[in-house]
Amino acid sequence: MRTVYLNGEYLPETEARVSIFDRGFLMADGVYEVTSVLDGKLIDFDGHAARLQRSLGELDMTNPLTRDELLAIHRELVSRNGIDEGMIYLQITRGAPGDRDFVFPDPDETKPTVVLFTQNKPGLANNPVAKQGLKIISVNDIRWGRRDIKTVQLLYPSMGKMMARKAGADDAWMVEDGYVTEGTSNNAYIVKGNKIITRALSNNILHGITRAAVLRFAREAQMDVEERNFTIEEARDADEAFVTSASAFVMPVVEIDGTKLGDGTPGKVAPRLREIYLDESLKTAI
Ligand code: PDD
């Protein structure tokens, strides 16, 4: 049984309980982070901690934990649960005011709810799916306008994954005003020749921590990076495509809306970026 963290305590997962009045439960009033673990170490921890701080700030929530406290909890959970490869999920909600009310509770009276738990995923780095690549479909992006805040409102991304599954695909890319925003739980890229194309940062997409690292490594490796909008038509005509996220790292995409990219197998750029990302981020893992 997992040991999880809830509001200052380490507990067996079956004993960790949150109020029915928690605003995360009633209103999706909360934010989260997913940090991967490789070789028992945290990948891009400081990036995730910084984005958490930003998400909380954008929602007028205070962070009850310092960066060092957060790191200590992550490490304690990795150690208590014997995680070599996997993920740490962290969620902070505006807490449980004891009733349902749209108005935010007084932060002096209602403390945030802090939950962290581990997900053990042996073989995460050597995921066989990376050799095959993903089939994706496109769906309309009907989410709200602050996708840069990593909130727990994940109903539409869940529905997107279900639409993909129903269509015999693995995942979905969301499209708004004719342009791809991002994947249901990842950032989206296409490759044309030696050029990596991905949407620029704005409130319309999550500012992926993996995205930032991968683009930095790509530029350091003298690859061309263009941050601009692209359409599904352009993507279907691309040489390669891929997605990035803390749980998938760099994952090739081999089919979009039924059209195979190239010969329908992962190309050269995405697998190379995956290798570089795994090597480089392990060097700075803590
Ligand atoms: N998802 N875009 C969306 C909509 C996401 O949900 C995620 C992450 C990303 C990639 O961000 P990062 O590289 O920081 O993981 C982009 C996480 C992994 C999840 O929901 O499980």
Side-chain angles (χ1 to χ4, degrees), residues 32-34 48 51 143 150 154 174 182-187 206-211 244-247:
Y32 77 107
E33 282 295 331
V34 175
H48 291 283
R51 186 174 61 192
R143 296 173 301 159
K150 199 163 170 64
L154 296 177
M174 295 178 281
E182 58 189 330
T184 57
S185 63
N186 42 59
N187 290 114
L206 187 75
H207 300 190
I209 303 305
T210 321
R211 176 189 185 280
T244 65
S245 78
S247 47

mmCIF file of all heavy atoms in Angstrom, residues 32-34 48 51 143 150 154 174 182-187 206-211 244-247, ligand 1:
data_model
loop_
_atom_site.group_PDB
_atom_site.id
_atom_site.type_symbol
_atom_site.label_atom_id
_atom_site.label_comp_id
_atom_site.label_asym_id
_atom_site.label_seq_id
_atom_site.Cartn_x
_atom_site.Cartn_y
_atom_site.Cartn_z
ATOM 1 N N TYR A 32 -2.366 21.625 -9.831
ATOM 2 C CA TYR A 32 -1.583 20.403 -9.636
ATOM 3 C C TYR A 32 -0.278 20.461 -10.405
ATOM 4 O O TYR A 32 -0.068 21.361 -11.233
ATOM 5 C CB TYR A 32 -2.408 19.171 -10.038
ATOM 6 C CG TYR A 32 -2.535 18.922 -11.537
ATOM 7 C CD1 TYR A 32 -1.845 17.874 -12.152
ATOM 8 C CD2 TYR A 32 -3.344 19.720 -12.339
ATOM 9 C CE1 TYR A 32 -1.959 17.626 -13.509
ATOM 10 C CE2 TYR A 32 -3.461 19.475 -13.700
ATOM 11 C CZ TYR A 32 -2.772 18.430 -14.279
ATOM 12 O OH TYR A 32 -2.882 18.189 -15.630
ATOM 13 N N GLU A 33 0.586 19.509 -10.100
ATOM 14 C CA GLU A 33 1.832 19.309 -10.829
ATOM 15 C C GLU A 33 2.103 17.811 -10.908
ATOM 16 O O GLU A 33 1.704 17.062 -10.011
ATOM 17 C CB GLU A 33 3.031 19.973 -10.121
ATOM 18 C CG GLU A 33 3.130 21.482 -10.316
ATOM 19 C CD GLU A 33 3.381 21.905 -11.758
ATOM 20 O OE1 GLU A 33 4.002 21.139 -12.523
ATOM 21 O OE2 GLU A 33 2.931 23.004 -12.120
ATOM 22 N N VAL A 34 2.762 17.408 -11.961
ATOM 23 C CA VAL A 34 3.223 16.024 -12.090
ATOM 24 C C VAL A 34 4.724 16.081 -12.359
ATOM 25 O O VAL A 34 5.149 16.715 -13.325
ATOM 26 C CB VAL A 34 2.518 15.289 -13.258
ATOM 27 C CG1 VAL A 34 3.112 13.892 -13.459
ATOM 28 C CG2 VAL A 34 1.016 15.226 -13.031
ATOM 29 N N HIS A 48 8.908 22.613 -12.054
ATOM 30 C CA HIS A 48 7.556 22.303 -11.568
ATOM 31 C C HIS A 48 7.214 23.140 -10.341
ATOM 32 O O HIS A 48 6.086 23.633 -10.218
ATOM 33 C CB HIS A 48 7.417 20.800 -11.294
ATOM 34 C CG HIS A 48 7.433 19.973 -12.548
ATOM 35 N ND1 HIS A 48 6.334 19.880 -13.378
ATOM 36 C CD2 HIS A 48 8.418 19.252 -13.136
ATOM 37 C CE1 HIS A 48 6.647 19.121 -14.412
ATOM 38 N NE2 HIS A 48 7.906 18.728 -14.293
ATOM 39 N N ARG A 51 6.388 26.655 -11.545
ATOM 40 C CA ARG A 51 5.079 26.762 -12.201
ATOM 41 C C ARG A 51 3.944 26.630 -11.182
ATOM 42 O O ARG A 51 2.917 27.306 -11.296
ATOM 43 C CB ARG A 51 4.933 25.717 -13.306
ATOM 44 C CG ARG A 51 3.629 25.907 -14.101
ATOM 45 C CD ARG A 51 3.521 24.992 -15.292
ATOM 46 N NE ARG A 51 3.544 23.602 -14.869
ATOM 47 C CZ ARG A 51 3.687 22.573 -15.703
ATOM 48 N NH1 ARG A 51 3.809 22.783 -17.002
ATOM 49 N NH2 ARG A 51 3.712 21.333 -15.246
ATOM 50 N N ARG A 143 -11.897 24.341 -24.097
ATOM 51 C CA ARG A 143 -11.547 24.638 -22.700
ATOM 52 C C ARG A 143 -11.620 26.138 -22.403
ATOM 53 O O ARG A 143 -11.755 26.952 -23.303
ATOM 54 C CB ARG A 143 -10.127 24.127 -22.408
ATOM 55 C CG ARG A 143 -9.991 22.618 -22.522
ATOM 56 C CD ARG A 143 -8.544 22.196 -22.402
ATOM 57 N NE ARG A 143 -7.719 22.817 -23.421
ATOM 58 C CZ ARG A 143 -6.414 22.965 -23.350
ATOM 59 N NH1 ARG A 143 -5.757 22.516 -22.307
ATOM 60 N NH2 ARG A 143 -5.739 23.540 -24.337
ATOM 61 N N LYS A 150 -2.289 25.562 -14.259
ATOM 62 C CA LYS A 150 -2.441 24.097 -14.268
ATOM 63 C C LYS A 150 -3.513 23.681 -13.258
ATOM 64 O O LYS A 150 -3.215 23.165 -12.182
ATOM 65 C CB LYS A 150 -1.095 23.420 -13.980
ATOM 66 C CG LYS A 150 -1.047 21.962 -14.422
ATOM 67 C CD LYS A 150 0.377 21.470 -14.497
ATOM 68 C CE LYS A 150 0.503 19.980 -14.687
ATOM 69 N NZ LYS A 150 -0.040 19.489 -15.957
ATOM 70 N N LEU A 154 -10.008 18.844 -15.417
ATOM 71 C CA LEU A 154 -9.498 18.010 -16.509
ATOM 72 C C LEU A 154 -10.592 17.212 -17.212
ATOM 73 O O LEU A 154 -10.302 16.217 -17.868
ATOM 74 C CB LEU A 154 -8.403 17.078 -15.969
ATOM 75 C CG LEU A 154 -7.163 17.816 -15.437
ATOM 76 C CD1 LEU A 154 -6.165 16.814 -14.865
ATOM 77 C CD2 LEU A 154 -6.491 18.641 -16.521
ATOM 78 N N MET A 174 -5.865 19.314 -29.653
ATOM 79 C CA MET A 174 -7.007 20.224 -29.646
ATOM 80 C C MET A 174 -6.752 21.387 -30.597
ATOM 81 O O MET A 174 -5.628 21.873 -30.725
ATOM 82 C CB MET A 174 -7.254 20.698 -28.211
ATOM 83 C CG MET A 174 -7.663 19.511 -27.332
ATOM 84 S SD MET A 174 -7.933 19.948 -25.618
ATOM 85 C CE MET A 174 -6.239 20.027 -25.040
ATOM 86 N N GLU A 182 -2.731 22.330 -28.156
ATOM 87 C CA GLU A 182 -1.840 21.357 -27.510
ATOM 88 C C GLU A 182 -2.552 20.015 -27.451
ATOM 89 O O GLU A 182 -3.707 19.894 -27.864
ATOM 90 C CB GLU A 182 -1.433 21.839 -26.115
ATOM 91 C CG GLU A 182 -2.610 22.079 -25.190
ATOM 92 C CD GLU A 182 -2.231 22.763 -23.871
ATOM 93 O OE1 GLU A 182 -1.100 22.577 -23.393
ATOM 94 O OE2 GLU A 182 -3.092 23.475 -23.319
ATOM 95 N N GLY A 183 -1.866 19.007 -26.920
ATOM 96 C CA GLY A 183 -2.494 17.710 -26.703
ATOM 97 C C GLY A 183 -3.318 17.754 -25.433
ATOM 98 O O GLY A 183 -3.260 18.718 -24.666
ATOM 99 N N THR A 184 -4.096 16.696 -25.190
ATOM 100 C CA THR A 184 -4.965 16.671 -24.006
ATOM 101 C C THR A 184 -4.143 16.785 -22.722
ATOM 102 O O THR A 184 -4.606 17.360 -21.750
ATOM 103 C CB THR A 184 -5.772 15.358 -23.939
ATOM 104 O OG1 THR A 184 -4.850 14.267 -23.953
ATOM 105 C CG2 THR A 184 -6.733 15.239 -25.111
ATOM 106 N N SER A 185 -2.916 16.234 -22.736
ATOM 107 C CA SER A 185 -2.077 16.325 -21.537
ATOM 108 C C SER A 185 -0.610 16.463 -21.921
ATOM 109 O O SER A 185 0.274 15.940 -21.252
ATOM 110 C CB SER A 185 -2.275 15.093 -20.647
ATOM 111 O OG SER A 185 -1.864 13.935 -21.340
ATOM 112 N N ASN A 186 -0.375 17.185 -23.015
ATOM 113 C CA ASN A 186 1.002 17.349 -23.487
ATOM 114 C C ASN A 186 1.077 18.505 -24.474
ATOM 115 O O ASN A 186 0.057 18.964 -24.975
ATOM 116 C CB ASN A 186 1.491 16.049 -24.157
ATOM 117 C CG ASN A 186 0.439 15.422 -25.039
ATOM 118 O OD1 ASN A 186 -0.050 16.045 -25.989
ATOM 119 N ND2 ASN A 186 0.052 14.194 -24.748
ATOM 120 N N ASN A 187 2.276 18.960 -24.760
ATOM 121 C CA ASN A 187 2.478 19.985 -25.787
ATOM 122 C C ASN A 187 2.732 19.298 -27.126
ATOM 123 O O ASN A 187 3.250 18.178 -27.163
ATOM 124 C CB ASN A 187 3.641 20.912 -25.399
ATOM 125 C CG ASN A 187 3.286 21.811 -24.217
ATOM 126 O OD1 ASN A 187 3.855 21.697 -23.139
ATOM 127 N ND2 ASN A 187 2.329 22.698 -24.412
ATOM 128 N N LEU A 206 -0.685 25.291 -21.807
ATOM 129 C CA LEU A 206 0.124 25.130 -20.608
ATOM 130 C C LEU A 206 1.596 25.329 -20.983
ATOM 131 O O LEU A 206 2.047 24.833 -22.017
ATOM 132 C CB LEU A 206 -0.072 23.733 -20.003
ATOM 133 C CG LEU A 206 0.633 23.589 -18.649
ATOM 134 C CD1 LEU A 206 -0.145 24.334 -17.566
ATOM 135 C CD2 LEU A 206 0.801 22.144 -18.268
ATOM 136 N N HIS A 207 2.303 26.047 -20.135
ATOM 137 C CA HIS A 207 3.729 26.283 -20.391
ATOM 138 C C HIS A 207 4.495 25.062 -19.882
ATOM 139 O O HIS A 207 4.915 25.004 -18.727
ATOM 140 C CB HIS A 207 4.187 27.555 -19.695
ATOM 141 C CG HIS A 207 3.439 28.778 -20.149
ATOM 142 N ND1 HIS A 207 3.808 30.052 -19.822
ATOM 143 C CD2 HIS A 207 2.328 28.920 -20.939
ATOM 144 C CE1 HIS A 207 2.961 30.924 -20.371
ATOM 145 N NE2 HIS A 207 2.055 30.255 -21.051
ATOM 146 N N GLY A 208 4.606 24.085 -20.740
ATOM 147 C CA GLY A 208 5.170 22.790 -20.335
ATOM 148 C C GLY A 208 6.605 22.926 -19.838
ATOM 149 O O GLY A 208 7.437 23.594 -20.461
ATOM 150 N N ILE A 209 6.874 22.256 -18.745
ATOM 151 C CA ILE A 209 8.233 22.243 -18.202
ATOM 152 C C ILE A 209 9.125 21.406 -19.115
ATOM 153 O O ILE A 209 10.278 21.741 -19.378
ATOM 154 C CB ILE A 209 8.215 21.677 -16.752
ATOM 155 C CG1 ILE A 209 7.269 22.514 -15.864
ATOM 156 C CG2 ILE A 209 9.622 21.622 -16.171
ATOM 157 C CD1 ILE A 209 7.551 23.993 -15.834
ATOM 158 N N THR A 210 8.570 20.316 -19.633
ATOM 159 C CA THR A 210 9.325 19.475 -20.567
ATOM 160 C C THR A 210 9.566 20.234 -21.872
ATOM 161 O O THR A 210 10.649 20.151 -22.460
ATOM 162 C CB THR A 210 8.560 18.166 -20.845
ATOM 163 O OG1 THR A 210 7.972 17.716 -19.629
ATOM 164 C CG2 THR A 210 9.470 17.099 -21.408
ATOM 165 N N ARG A 211 8.555 21.003 -22.304
ATOM 166 C CA ARG A 211 8.683 21.832 -23.514
ATOM 167 C C ARG A 211 9.890 22.757 -23.389
ATOM 168 O O ARG A 211 10.725 22.841 -24.299
ATOM 169 C CB ARG A 211 7.404 22.654 -23.708
ATOM 170 C CG ARG A 211 7.425 23.634 -24.874
ATOM 171 C CD ARG A 211 6.189 24.546 -24.817
ATOM 172 N NE ARG A 211 6.096 25.434 -25.972
ATOM 173 C CZ ARG A 211 6.788 26.563 -26.113
ATOM 174 N NH1 ARG A 211 7.641 26.936 -25.177
ATOM 175 N NH2 ARG A 211 6.630 27.304 -27.197
ATOM 176 N N THR A 244 5.310 16.363 -25.864
ATOM 177 C CA THR A 244 6.159 16.318 -24.667
ATOM 178 C C THR A 244 5.318 16.511 -23.413
ATOM 179 O O THR A 244 4.342 17.254 -23.419
ATOM 180 C CB THR A 244 7.245 17.425 -24.661
ATOM 181 O OG1 THR A 244 6.621 18.716 -24.586
ATOM 182 C CG2 THR A 244 8.140 17.363 -25.881
ATOM 183 N N SER A 245 5.708 15.821 -22.355
ATOM 184 C CA SER A 245 5.108 16.033 -21.035
ATOM 185 C C SER A 245 5.996 15.355 -20.000
ATOM 186 O O SER A 245 6.869 14.555 -20.357
ATOM 187 C CB SER A 245 3.699 15.447 -20.946
ATOM 188 O OG SER A 245 3.761 14.050 -20.774
ATOM 189 N N ALA A 246 5.726 15.680 -18.744
ATOM 190 C CA ALA A 246 6.529 15.105 -17.662
ATOM 191 C C ALA A 246 6.388 13.589 -17.590
ATOM 192 O O ALA A 246 7.290 12.911 -17.116
ATOM 193 C CB ALA A 246 6.138 15.732 -16.332
ATOM 194 N N SER A 247 5.264 13.045 -18.044
ATOM 195 C CA SER A 247 5.107 11.594 -17.941
ATOM 196 C C SER A 247 5.484 10.869 -19.231
ATOM 197 O O SER A 247 5.859 9.704 -19.205
ATOM 198 C CB SER A 247 3.676 11.236 -17.539
ATOM 199 O OG SER A 247 2.760 11.949 -18.310
HETATM 200 N N1 PDD B 1 0.141 17.052 -18.161
HETATM 201 N N2 PDD B 1 -0.316 20.597 -21.792
HETATM 202 C C1 PDD B 1 -1.240 20.068 -20.979
HETATM 203 C C2 PDD B 1 -2.671 20.391 -21.228
HETATM 204 C C3 PDD B 1 -0.844 19.222 -19.919
HETATM 205 O O1 PDD B 1 -1.783 18.702 -19.102
HETATM 206 C C4 PDD B 1 0.528 18.919 -19.739
HETATM 207 C C5 PDD B 1 1.017 18.050 -18.603
HETATM 208 C C6 PDD B 1 1.460 19.487 -20.625
HETATM 209 C C7 PDD B 1 2.940 19.239 -20.503
HETATM 210 O O2 PDD B 1 3.502 19.914 -19.405
HETATM 211 P P1 PDD B 1 4.776 19.342 -18.639
HETATM 212 O O3 PDD B 1 5.836 19.170 -19.659
HETATM 213 O O4 PDD B 1 5.112 20.400 -17.672
HETATM 214 O O5 PDD B 1 4.374 18.024 -18.009
HETATM 215 C C8 PDD B 1 1.003 20.328 -21.630
HETATM 216 C C9 PDD B 1 0.497 16.241 -17.016
HETATM 217 C C10 PDD B 1 1.691 15.407 -17.232
HETATM 218 C C11 PDD B 1 -0.728 15.447 -16.569
HETATM 219 O O6 PDD B 1 -1.786 16.034 -16.579
HETATM 220 O O7 PDD B 1 -0.600 14.285 -16.186
#
